[in-house]
Amino acid sequence: MTGWEMVVGLEVHVQLKTRTKMFCGCENRFGAPPNSLVCPVCAGMPGSLPTVNRKAVELGMMTGIALGCRIASRTMFDRKNYFYPDLPKGYQISQFDRPLASGGSFRFPFGGGSMEASITRAHLEEDSGKNVHDASTDGSFVDLNRAGVPLIEIVTGPVFRSAREVSAYLAALKQLLQYIGASDCNMERGSLRCEPNVSVRKAGSTSLGTKTEIKNINSFKSVEKALEYEFRRQTEALESGGRILQQTMLWDDVAGSTAPMRSKEEAHDYRYFPEPDIPPLEIAADWVERVRASMPELPDARKRRFVESFGLREYDAAVLTASRDFSSLFEECARLWPNRRRLCSLFITDLLSILADEKIEVCDSRLSAQSVASLLRMEEEGAVGKNQVREILAELAKAGGDPPAIAASRGMVQLRDEDEIGALVTKAIAESPESVADFRAGRGKRAIGFLMGNVVRAMNGKGDPKIIRRLLVEKLENQSRS
Amino acid sequence: MEIDDELARSILKLAKLKLRGDEFGEYRRRLQEILEYVGMLDELDLKSVVPTACAADSSTILRDDDGTESSGRDRILSNAPSRAGAFFKVPRIIDQGGCP
């Protein structure tokens, strides 16, 4: 398949994190009993009227601003007409030629460097309901809880040339939207959905081939698989003399393939027209400025600040700022604990894997900056060792608490009695004359490492490593002199 | 713009309407008349007029993001032609891809 190039543009639908729906006061919540969050407006009852949710507009503005877009001074809603059982009104309220935001660009990390995607537009619309299928019956079932949930649709130009670029963009977009609190971007729950437009062309060509649109991709893992499958399908069709039909393909995650959507013989003809029930929305410049001023720091800015003000390495700062909550916790801790390097290794080496193993989100964990600082103070004073720090940290993440109390309740307090440790050190040296020989021959590091291990084991890990090391060095030096 | 038979059939299909043979010609003709009537506007010079989408000249009123009670499942489903348990029941959908 050499000589062909993939060209992809993305439409990403993101559910906005509002309390209520786009045009009515029903709750915007995932997982409620079917049809329990429905009213005459989102059920499309005759005579009901939509009213625009200010918060949804503001989250949409934030999204547009974060993606470098212009925010329209006057934006409009339009009806997009089609019939489908999950669309109770027979039309979706969307935005057609006056989107909320347009003309942006978004720079994101890719392959050690970075890449820029042009953002054509970002517009507000309402989500559809959900169809539920059951093979055992003659009908299909509809749940309208999702109908009317606010969405922002983010459209890029045809800027991606590989599935990996698309993945990198999606990961960065998700991070950005979570930072600004626009969405939780949970693809499995459908709060972020991506629909790539894919075409292929001969490498070096500047014209675009006929594109297909892929729907039904519901995990980050599937995005690359679906794109690579569709790329192969199109190039094989063209190489065998066929042509590409402009159509919508459905991704089948189990089969790992795409197939044309059957009901699409009719060309798209949505007959958009201005929504007569919603007058145009004027957006004054000072409103945009207020929203801009209320926006939290974006991931890239936070990463740079971590490098500059905490003296962290670029890579570490990127890991720490991957999520807003994680980086905010780090920052609170950094205010209380001046040794940023130790703090950084605690977060990256220990805390990340603890949270992943225990499947705890930072925001759900019981960690506080005070408890982390108290834990590191115990470590610095030699009261606990590295392994114990990790164990206490895991307990803090799961259940919270007071580090000294956790250490005491687990019998973790380190033994620091120098007579006791000294006796064990003398015994270890006596049992290992070859280490003494190593030490004399200038291989002190090896000798001390070996003996440290023996003493730590003899004390079941409860001896203070600093004291053990100091006594070992003292005694080995004494022996060498004698 | 001319509403020919082909365009009229396409509009019927998109609107999911079924007409008898004698109705078809009648509605095609009426649609044509409506367009011609509105077409009078083309005689005006509107180059300097901003397109209007709404007769109200004020900006839309926004709603705070505060909840109101939903209707309750039984009240909502009581209007449905067919229901099955907690769901609206509709004729079997073949494609599972959501909206077109």
Side-chain angles (χ1 to χ4, degrees):
Chain A
M1 230 66 80
T2 53
W4 293 94
E5 180 179 65
M6 178 194 289
V7 179
V8 179
L10 277 187
E11 289 170 22
V12 175
H13 288 86
V14 181
Q15 286 184 345
L16 295 172
K17 220 161 74 180
T18 53
R19 291 182 49 224
T20 66
K21 293 187 179 181
M22 183 75 220
F23 299 115
C24 64
C26 287
E27 219 185 321
N28 168 14
R29 176 158 60 89
F30 180 85
N35 291 307
S36 60
L37 308 176
V38 185
C39 75
V41 174
C42 54
M45 295 294 180
S48 63
L49 287 171
T51 45
V52 179
N53 184 338
R54 176 183 289 108
K55 174 82 176 176
V57 176
E58 290 183 342
L59 292 176
M61 284 159 74
M62 280 191 191
T63 304
I65 292 168
L67 293 171
C69 293
R70 281 188 312 275
I71 303 299
S73 55
R74 187 170 191 266
T75 184
M76 271 171 46
F77 291 93
D78 298 272
R79 291 188 180 180
K80 177 180 179 179
N81 299 279
Y82 64 91
F83 291 110
Y84 211 67
D86 58 16
L87 190 74
K89 295 192 292 293
Y91 58 86
Q92 175 194 34
I93 306 180
S94 178
Q95 297 196 284
F96 184 51
D97 56 353
R98 293 269 188 157
L100 177 65
S102 59
S105 70
F106 177 45
R107 183 161 284 284
F108 58 95
F110 179 69
S114 71
M115 184 182 155
E116 196 167 77
S118 63
I119 305 295
T120 311
R121 57 188 280 157
H123 70 253
L124 293 168
E125 58 186 32
E126 56 177 339
D127 210 343
S128 62
K130 236 180 149 132
N131 297 320
V132 182
H133 306 274
D134 177 354
S136 66
T137 61
D138 56 337
S140 293
F141 307 103
V142 183
D143 172 9
L144 294 182
N145 283 350
R146 200 182 67 179
V149 163
L151 295 175
I152 187 144
E153 178 175 336
I154 301 161
V155 184
T156 71
V159 292
F160 304 102
R161 298 289 174 270
S162 72
R164 282 181 48 240
E165 290 179 3
V166 171
S167 290
Y169 166 80
L170 284 175
L173 182 67
K174 174 181 169 176
Q175 182 197 34
L176 183 76
L177 296 172
Q178 288 176 333
Y179 255 76
I180 61 177
S183 176
D184 58 19
C185 295
N186 184 325
M187 217 165 169
E188 282 70 26
R189 286 181 166 195
S191 60
L192 183 151
R193 306 194 284 274
C194 103
E195 289 167 4
N197 287 299
V198 191
S199 63
V200 300
R201 65 183 175 194
K202 282 283 186 190
S205 164
T206 52
S207 60
L208 292 170
T210 304
K211 66 182 178 185
T212 61
E213 183 180 354
I214 311 177
K215 282 183 183 285
N216 204 34
I217 299 175
N218 39 31
S219 73
F220 279 95
K221 248 189 352 228
S222 309
V223 178
E224 289 195 31
K225 280 195 263 174
L227 286 173
E228 265 146 25
Y229 180 89
E230 184 61 14
F231 175 63
R232 220 167 37 243
R233 186 189 73 81
Q234 290 191 14
T235 46
E236 278 169 8
L238 291 172
E239 285 197 336
S240 59
R243 62 192 190 95
I244 306 300
L245 298 177
Q246 179 157 355
Q247 60 187 349
T248 301
M249 309 294 289
L250 282 188
W251 169 247
D252 181 336
D253 211 30
V254 179
S257 59
T258 59
M261 202 165 147
R262 272 168 292 180
S263 62
K264 296 283 292 192
E265 320 90 67
E266 301 160 35
H268 287 200
D269 185 351
Y270 294 127
R271 294 148 295 139
Y272 281 96
F273 64 88
E275 167 57 81
D277 291 337
I278 305 177
L281 172 60
E282 310 282 348
I283 299 177
D286 66 322
W287 188 19
V288 179
E289 285 319 306
R290 278 202 307 280
V291 169
R292 192 192 301 275
S294 74
M295 282 172 65
E297 186 176 38
L298 300 183
D300 202 46
R302 182 165 284 194
K303 186 178 90 183
R304 267 183 285 122
R305 192 166 55 78
F306 274 27
V307 169
E308 283 158 19
S309 56
F310 297 146
L312 300 175
R313 288 180 305 177
E314 185 93 5
Y315 173 81
D316 291 339
V319 175
L320 286 172
T321 55
S323 102
R324 179 180 162 190
D325 291 343
F326 194 69
S327 57
S328 297
L329 180 65
F330 179 85
E331 186 148 27
E332 284 172 45
C333 294
R335 260 182 235 129
L336 299 176
W337 194 253
N339 183 349
R340 274 61 185 264
R341 255 166 216 273
R342 174 62 188 126
L343 193 59
C344 177
S345 82
L346 184 77
F347 266 62
I348 291 180
T349 317
D350 298 311
L351 186 54
L352 265 188
S353 58
I354 289 169
L355 294 172
D357 291 348
E358 305 286 341
K359 297 191 172 53
I360 306 174
E361 297 289 334
V362 183
C363 56
D364 299 330
S365 83
R366 308 290 303 275
L367 285 160
S368 70
Q370 286 74 18
S371 60
V372 172
S374 145
L375 176 60
L376 287 173
R377 192 167 307 112
M378 287 176 74
E379 182 187 49
E380 196 180 63
E381 288 164 354
V384 286
K386 275 211 162 61
N387 291 336
Q388 296 169 329
V389 166
R390 188 188 168 101
E391 193 182 327
I392 296 172
L393 188 66
E395 180 63 21
L396 288 174
K398 277 185 282 187
D402 173 43
I406 295 170
S409 75
R410 297 187 175 211
M412 271 181 189
V413 176
Q414 286 204 322
L415 297 177
R416 305 170 72 189
D417 180 329
E418 299 209 4
D419 291 342
E420 189 184 342
I421 295 174
L424 288 165
V425 164
T426 307
K427 182 161 171 269
I429 291 173
E431 283 169 356
S432 176
E434 62 274 25
S435 293
V436 180
D438 271 345
F439 191 81
R440 283 186 172 142
R443 294 189 290 270
K445 206 172 169 188
R446 178 164 142 186
I448 290 168
F450 179 78
L451 292 169
M452 276 284 296
N454 284 352
V455 178
V456 167
R457 265 192 300 281
M459 300 186 74
N460 288 323
K462 289 186 180 176
D464 182 338
K466 281 190 197 133
I467 297 176
I468 300 174
R469 174 179 293 273
R470 178 166 51 78
L471 294 180
L472 266 173
V473 173
E474 278 172 22
K475 285 186 201 282
L476 283 168
E477 276 170 355
N478 283 342
Q479 290 214 351
S480 307
R481 261 181 247 124
S482 62
Chain B
M1 185 181 187
E2 199 199 332
I3 306 276
D4 57 16
D5 280 3
E6 193 190 344
L7 180 54
R9 261 192 290 276
S10 155
I11 293 168
L12 277 183
K13 198 171 173 189
L14 288 168
K16 296 245 191 303
L17 290 174
K18 286 196 177 64
L19 296 180
R20 291 194 313 270
D22 55 331
E23 289 173 325
F24 180 78
E26 170 67 9
Y27 280 101
R28 190 197 64 72
R29 189 183 60 75
R30 285 200 208 169
L31 274 176
Q32 185 68 56
E33 277 177 17
I34 292 168
L35 283 188
E36 279 164 14
Y37 178 71
V38 176
M40 281 196 295
L41 292 171
D42 292 342
E43 291 166 20
L44 300 171
D45 178 10
L46 300 173
K47 276 201 286 289
S48 59
V49 178
V50 182
T52 308
C54 180
D57 57 1
S58 59
S59 179
T60 193
I61 308 290
L62 296 171
R63 175 176 61 79
D64 287 336
D65 188 24
D66 292 330
T68 51
E69 284 283 301
S70 297
S71 301
R73 180 192 296 153
D74 286 328
R75 284 189 68 198
I76 280 294
L77 288 174
S78 67
N79 291 295
S82 176
R83 68 178 278 188
F87 293 96
F88 293 91
K89 188 176 176 192
V90 296
R92 186 162 184 73
I93 303 165
I94 304 160
D95 274 333
Q96 309 205 348
C99 63

